[in-house]
Amino acid sequence: MSRWTAADIPNQSGRTAIVTGANTGLGFETAATLAARGARVVLAVRSLDKGKQAAARISQDNPGAEVELQELDLGSLASVRSAATQLRSAYERIDLLINNAGVMYPPKSTTADGFELQFGTNHLGHFALTGLLLERMLPVAGSRVVTVSSVGHRIRAAIHFDDLHWERGYSRVGAYGQSKLANLLFTYELQRRLAPHGTTISVAAHPGASNTELTRHLPRLVAAASALLEPWMQSAELGALPSLRAATDPDVTGGQYIGPDGVGELRGYPRPVASSAQSHDVELQQRLWAISEELTGVGYPMG
């Protein structure tokens, strides 16, 4: 089987892609590659200053690239709503929404709305953003929602409906696992709801073990151990390939999960991979969907 690389990405001219967390790491590489293939790319970032620097780098490497900025703080529903309003006004059609931004293993903290930071940012922020932008995607044949999960969806992962925000005790690893499992539950339930419309699909991806700024919150001892593993970790450029394949490969279908093909899915080239049995629990998907609508106040246009 041939290895899928960025060279396999079809021409993206005429397509509009929104990438969250696009100023650094996986999001930057994803946005830069899409821009190089002709897409108009919107960098949805919390810091406009860092976003401007990222946009300048992309434009410098790809003269004529269409790169635009949108301020977005996924840890604030007010910011998500404001950004969605501006994006709907600016773009009549959205072909790709890549829910890439995330936080990993921070000290216990909450979003502006009081949600546990990892669940609030990684899942609820993207749940709200997607729901608010779908009206610009549903009429677009071939449009895709790509949500980035992690091998962490298997590690101490469960949806703690009795304590979603870890108020009775906090585990960095457990909270991250919950948020990444939520990304997959969301992807699969979204695909089920989109399927009758036949235009937009929902796909998940994960980058394996990639060397990015996502690890900046690791506890000191874990960070030291992680540093020893860096030679075996893949670059952000390679780590972005699963998201890029999920977004652009004509053979990808709704509900697929794309990850590295190496041992343990930690590194390698992107291919369809399996997620945990728990992530395919339909009752769990629907229960999470219902509480996500309740917490964010966002309903979806297809019901």
Side-chain angles (χ1 to χ4, degrees):
M1 180 184 296
S2 62
R3 292 174 167 178
W4 194 95
T5 70
D8 294 300
I9 297 174
N11 188 297
Q12 298 295 296
S13 297
R15 305 189 85 196
T16 296
I18 298 170
V19 184
T20 68
N23 62 286
T24 188
L26 302 173
F28 174 81
E29 296 296 341
T30 300
T33 303
L34 289 172
R37 301 299 291 172
R40 174 169 60 179
V41 179
V42 182
L43 313 184
V45 296
R46 188 171 58 175
S47 167
L48 286 180
D49 287 340
K50 292 181 179 179
K52 290 175 183 177
Q53 294 173 21
R57 288 172 58 197
I58 294 173
S59 297
Q60 182 176 1
D61 293 339
N62 303 280
E66 292 186 76
V67 186
E68 298 167 13
L69 290 177
Q70 174 60 55
E71 187 173 18
L72 170 68
D73 180 358
L74 289 160
S76 163
L77 289 176
S79 174
V80 172
R81 288 183 178 278
S82 175
T85 297
Q86 293 175 58
L87 289 166
R88 289 196 307 268
S89 176
Y91 307 105
E92 284 295 319
R93 59 177 283 162
I94 297 172
D95 298 83
L96 297 174
L97 171 59
I98 301 181
N99 292 324
N100 163 82
V103 291
M104 176 181 176
Y105 299 169
K108 185 176 181 180
S109 51
T110 59
T111 68
D113 303 283
F115 308 139
E116 186 277 317
L117 185 63
Q118 296 181 92
F119 185 69
T121 302
N122 299 351
H123 169 60
L124 291 175
H126 282 127
F127 179 93
L129 181 68
T130 304
L132 293 167
L133 293 180
L134 263 183
E135 67 179 58
R136 288 289 186 264
M137 303 187 75
L138 288 175
V140 182
S143 55
R144 300 184 184 188
V145 177
V146 177
T147 301
V148 180
S149 184
S150 164
V151 292
H153 88 274
R154 299 179 182 273
I155 303 172
R156 297 186 61 184
I159 306 299
H160 299 267
F161 289 105
D162 61 338
D163 189 20
L164 282 172
H165 307 298
W166 298 80
E167 294 169 333
R168 296 200 297 267
Y170 179 64
S171 162
R172 298 185 192 210
V173 176
Y176 183 70
Q178 173 176 262
S179 73
K180 293 289 105 178
L181 173 59
N183 288 151
L184 285 167
L185 295 167
F186 164 66
T187 294
Y188 299 147
E189 180 62 19
L190 177 59
Q191 174 57 30
R192 183 166 26 257
R193 292 169 181 246
L194 287 171
H197 297 271
T199 51
T200 307
I201 64 171
S202 172
V203 187
H206 83 83
S210 299
N211 191 6
T212 71
E213 292 183 8
L214 189 63
T215 59
R216 63 186 177 276
H217 292 300
L218 290 177
R220 186 176 302 172
L221 291 178
V222 178
S226 179
L228 296 176
L229 297 175
E230 280 188 13
W232 289 273
M233 298 173 74
Q234 60 184 5
S235 66
E237 185 178 4
L238 281 175
L241 287 180
S243 294
L244 287 164
R245 184 168 193 178
T248 66
D249 185 346
D251 294 329
V252 164
T253 58
Q256 283 192 308
Y257 184 35
I258 311 297
D261 62 3
V263 176
E265 299 172 20
L266 296 180
R267 57 184 297 152
Y269 292 85
R271 65 173 176 84
V273 296
S275 61
S276 69
Q278 188 177 198
S279 70
H280 291 284
D281 184 325
V282 173
E283 182 178 350
L284 192 58
Q285 293 165 10
Q286 294 176 345
R287 187 178 178 190
L288 176 65
W289 188 281
I291 199 165
S292 298
E293 285 187 325
E294 179 182 334
L295 291 172
T296 63
V298 174
Y300 274 55
M302 69 285 189

